[in-house]
Amino acid sequence: MGTSRRLFSTCFARSHDNPLGLPRRPGPLPQIPRRNAPIQKRPIPNVSKVLAVASGKGGVGKSTIAVNLAFALAMHQIPGSQRKPRVGVLDLDIFGPSVPKLMGLESAHEPRLTQKGAIVPLVNHALQCMSMGFLLRRSADGQTKVDTAVVWRGLMVQKAVQQLLFDVDWRGDNESEPGLDVLVIDMPPGTGDVPLTLGQLVKVDGAVIVSTPQDVAISDVRKGVSMFKKVDVPITGLILNTSHFICRNCATPHYIFGSPKSFHETASQVGAKVLGELPLVGGVSEASDHGVPYMLVGEGNQEWKGTMSRIAGEVWDSLH
């Protein structure tokens, strides 16, 4: 199938109905959820299962976990099958997209469009991904887009989210491809417009909530669980990031950010399963800064990678 390249920042007029500047496609425009007028949830085109990765607050490593969980799922052997899952990542953080950096695509060209006007995801490390960060204007040096800010009000944000959800063709360049088995959605922190829009419009099959051991982060886990329950999104489980540190000279876990006891108590109180506790490993940050997901690092910490692999197995079983 032929594709075309366009500059999202210049070629088509932006409006509240079309903030990404996409060419008009057949069918109705995206709808905005309104009070007393529920909208029927829809599946994302060419996606079998949708998994949201969220957090009550920022700075807990949610995006890093979302990307690495996607790769762990892509490495998971489907029970009773000879193949592994087809997985993609969708970054729905409109104001602070992290996926371009984590996937090593900061300097990538803007996505192409299919002949029908859908966005073709970018690919790196053999995994498809899409982010608002790919659609921003480049910086003054023409190399990156990291300094470009999105300054939009709520209506524009909601419409942009809907376009990223429904106007991306996850079959890539080939319409004969079957699409994705799992789409991992990296959510912005908190309980604002974006997660609410997702929960109201899309049939989400599960949600993973990430926290760190500090009480200020754990207290927001309850808010995240409550929000997803209000929009009928099932909670797959909770992940505790930077749970402990193991130094090179001993095998004893050091809980430098606090005991995980409060985290487990909170999980029990909200009726959510603890999927795993990821240790604090310096290589995770270093690899991420170089655009290489830690699951792909050959000499990586085996406890971290093993825990992520087990989490991916539990997530797959929960979704199916």
Side-chain angles (χ1 to χ4, degrees):
M1 177 181 62
T3 57
S4 60
R5 186 179 298 281
R6 61 173 290 270
L7 297 177
F8 287 84
S9 56
T10 59
C11 288
F12 290 89
R14 294 175 184 268
S15 67
H16 284 90
D17 287 330
N18 188 16
L20 300 188
L22 295 175
R24 295 298 183 187
R25 302 181 66 201
L29 293 173
Q31 301 179 62
I32 290 293
R34 302 182 187 280
R35 288 185 178 180
N36 304 319
I39 298 175
Q40 184 175 5
K41 293 185 179 184
R42 294 191 278 163
I44 295 177
N46 306 306
V47 172
S48 177
K49 300 292 182 179
V50 175
L51 176 74
V53 178
S55 64
K57 68 188 307 299
V60 299
K62 167 190 54 60
S63 295
T64 300
I65 287 179
V67 168
N68 279 278
L69 178 56
F71 278 94
L73 283 166
M75 298 174 183
H76 180 71
Q77 187 69 48
I78 299 176
S81 173
Q82 297 299 314
R83 70 175 183 89
K84 295 181 179 180
R86 296 177 293 270
V87 183
V89 176
L90 174 60
D91 183 356
L92 280 189
D93 195 336
I94 302 298
F95 298 110
S98 300
V99 164
K101 177 73 171 180
L102 296 171
M103 290 291 292
L105 290 169
E106 279 186 296
S107 300
H109 292 290
E110 290 177 344
R112 294 168 293 168
L113 298 178
T114 67
Q115 291 180 339
K116 297 179 180 179
I119 305 172
V120 177
L122 300 185
V123 179
N124 199 19
H125 308 302
L127 191 139
Q128 296 186 81
C129 59
M130 187 60 211
S131 169
M132 184 68 194
F134 299 146
L135 310 179
L136 301 177
R137 293 184 181 183
R138 292 183 178 274
S139 57
D141 60 12
Q143 297 300 314
T144 66
K145 307 172 185 179
V146 294
D147 296 327
T148 304
V150 176
V151 186
W152 287 348
R153 295 186 184 276
L155 183 60
M156 292 280 280
V157 173
Q158 291 182 56
K159 289 288 188 177
V161 167
Q162 291 174 61
Q163 289 184 305
L164 288 171
L165 289 170
F166 299 116
D167 288 332
V168 176
D169 194 332
W170 292 101
R171 295 171 298 181
D173 290 332
N174 192 345
E175 285 187 342
S176 64
E177 291 293 324
L180 300 179
D181 294 301
V182 181
L183 177 62
V184 177
I185 299 183
D186 179 23
M187 305 295 296
T191 58
D193 283 344
V194 174
L196 185 60
T197 300
L198 174 73
Q200 290 180 316
L201 296 185
V202 176
K203 183 182 180 300
V204 182
D205 300 283
V208 170
I209 298 179
V210 180
S211 180
T212 51
Q214 298 93 332
D215 285 344
V216 67
I218 293 173
S219 64
D220 286 331
V221 169
R222 298 185 182 89
K223 299 176 184 176
V225 171
S226 175
M227 179 204 64
F228 281 121
K229 287 183 176 180
K230 286 182 179 179
V231 291
D232 296 321
V233 172
I235 304 298
T236 303
L238 312 182
I239 296 176
L240 183 62
N241 195 23
T242 63
S243 169
H244 57 277
F245 173 75
I246 298 179
C247 68
R248 297 179 179 179
N249 300 321
C250 69
T252 302
H254 299 278
Y255 297 100
I256 57 178
F257 295 130
S259 168
K261 181 179 178 181
S262 294
F263 176 77
H264 286 272
E265 289 176 348
T266 298
S268 177
Q269 291 167 4
V270 299
K273 182 178 183 179
V274 175
L275 295 173
E277 298 182 26
L278 292 167
L280 174 63
V281 176
V284 175
S285 177
E286 183 178 359
S288 298
D289 287 344
H290 288 88
V292 180
Y294 196 66
M295 288 299 296
L296 303 182
V297 176
E299 300 297 324
N301 179 279
Q302 294 307 304
E303 179 185 353
W304 197 98
K305 294 172 71 174
T307 300
M308 185 61 76
S309 294
R310 288 192 294 274
I311 291 172
E314 291 196 44
V315 167
W316 177 268
D317 292 342
S318 175
L319 294 177
H320 295 83

